[in-house]
Amino acid sequence: MSVIGIAAACNTDKQSTAPPNSTVVQNQEITGNDNCIGQGTGNTIVCPPKARSFGNVTLESHKIITAFFAGPPDQLPMPPAYPVEATQGHCDEWREWLASDSRIYMTSPIFEIGMTAGHDDLVVVKDVRVEIFKRTPATPGTTIKCLYGGGSNAGVNVYVDTAAQRTTFQPFESDEVTEMPPGSLTLGQGDAGFSNAAVMVKSMDGFLYEGRLVVEAIVNNKPETIRWGSQQQPFRWLSDESGQFTAEYGKEWDWNPVTERWVQGLDPFNLNK
């Protein structure tokens, strides 16, 4: 068995005096990488440790601005409390509550895929799709607002169109649109660090949906599937580009943390109204 290629990558603190055609012998002290092999007797072989892997893919709800309550304002449930200083943006405090109430649907939902890789990692997102469990016609309801202002832009926008059964992605500030698959998002192999992609879900207008978001990835040749939503607790959303079922800007409902009641058109800078 030839070990020339492997032995060349190791550092030894003592030169072997064995003849050129000697075989690998036992009772050698080896530390570090298990793949490091040396020849001779009485050698102490110190191998460099394996590079630490940072390869990872995450999925989370990126930005919630408004949600849709399938009912009138006087039936809005009491939300979790949030501090007054969070009036301009309290979607994080409401994230779990909005997802747990079966009468509340996300409007124009946006998710974030996070990709982390070291220099020796290879992280690939090869597919993003939505599986629909249920679809029902929307009826007039109540728009809930919990964020006043914008947010940061992701490096890539991924668009999942459930009506067309098509996924595409487009780098921020670029006109290039790529089908996924076969197109994919990659990070690593010298391009180490963190990268993110915003996932935007679009469906047939005027319907309430239940389903789950699925991300297929490969991290260092190992397939991974990340899901948001399940049959027991589905991801719920409303597609309403026409604005027929959602309130116009300034007419949404929000919880006033001072008066502790739902109000329409909340001014986060004047909470006494």
Side-chain angles (χ1 to χ4, degrees), residues 129-133 210-214 227-237:
R129 65 181 185 273
V130 169
E131 299 174 352
I132 297 175
F133 303 150
E210 294 182 8
R212 68 182 166 201
L213 179 65
V214 180
R227 300 177 179 87
W228 187 283
S230 65
Q231 291 281 0
Q232 295 73 27
Q233 189 172 354
F235 153 49
R236 296 179 302 277
W237 72 98

Side-chain angles (χ1 to χ4, degrees), residues 83-207:
V84 173
E85 56 268 23
T87 305
Q88 296 182 57
H90 45 277
C91 296
D92 287 343
E93 286 83 356
W94 284 6
R95 193 180 305 273
E96 292 186 8
W97 170 69
L98 291 169
S100 63
D101 194 309
S102 61
R103 300 166 295 176
I104 298 178
Y105 298 76
M106 301 299 103
T107 57
S108 303
I110 301 176
F111 293 86
E112 180 180 286
I113 297 174
M115 303 169 63
T116 305
H119 288 282
D120 295 325
D121 294 319
L122 179 59
V123 178
V124 180
V125 174
K126 63 176 187 176
D127 192 19
V128 182
R129 65 181 185 273
V130 169
E131 299 174 352
I132 297 175
F133 303 150
K134 184 180 179 181
R135 187 186 74 178
T136 57
T139 58
T142 305
T143 302
I144 300 172
K145 189 177 181 67
C146 57
L147 178 64
Y148 301 82
S152 59
N153 295 311
V156 179
N157 291 328
V158 178
Y159 303 94
V160 182
D161 189 332
T162 66
Q165 296 186 346
R166 179 186 183 216
T167 299
T168 59
F169 65 84
Q170 182 177 357
F172 184 66
E173 294 185 343
S174 171
D175 295 329
E176 183 179 356
V177 178
T178 304
E179 294 272 351
M180 174 185 281
S184 62
L185 308 178
T186 62
L187 184 67
Q189 297 292 291
D191 184 20
F194 174 81
S195 179
N196 64 346
V199 179
M200 305 176 188
V201 179
K202 177 184 177 182
S203 301
M204 190 178 298
D205 214 37
F207 286 89

Side-chain angles (χ1 to χ4, degrees), residues 6-14 36 44-48:
I6 300 176
C10 305
N11 296 319
T12 60
D13 60 359
K14 182 180 180 180
C36 186
T44 298
I45 301 175
V46 180
C47 303

Side-chain angles (χ1 to χ4, degrees), residues 13-57:
D13 60 359
K14 182 180 180 180
Q15 294 296 322
S16 173
T17 58
N21 295 327
S22 64
T23 58
V24 178
V25 296
Q26 304 297 319
N27 301 320
Q28 298 185 87
E29 182 182 351
I30 301 176
T31 61
N33 193 331
D34 292 338
N35 292 324
C36 186
I37 301 174
Q39 290 181 331
T41 59
N43 290 335
T44 298
I45 301 175
V46 180
C47 303
K50 295 179 180 179
R52 180 183 175 186
S53 172
F54 293 93
N56 188 35
V57 177

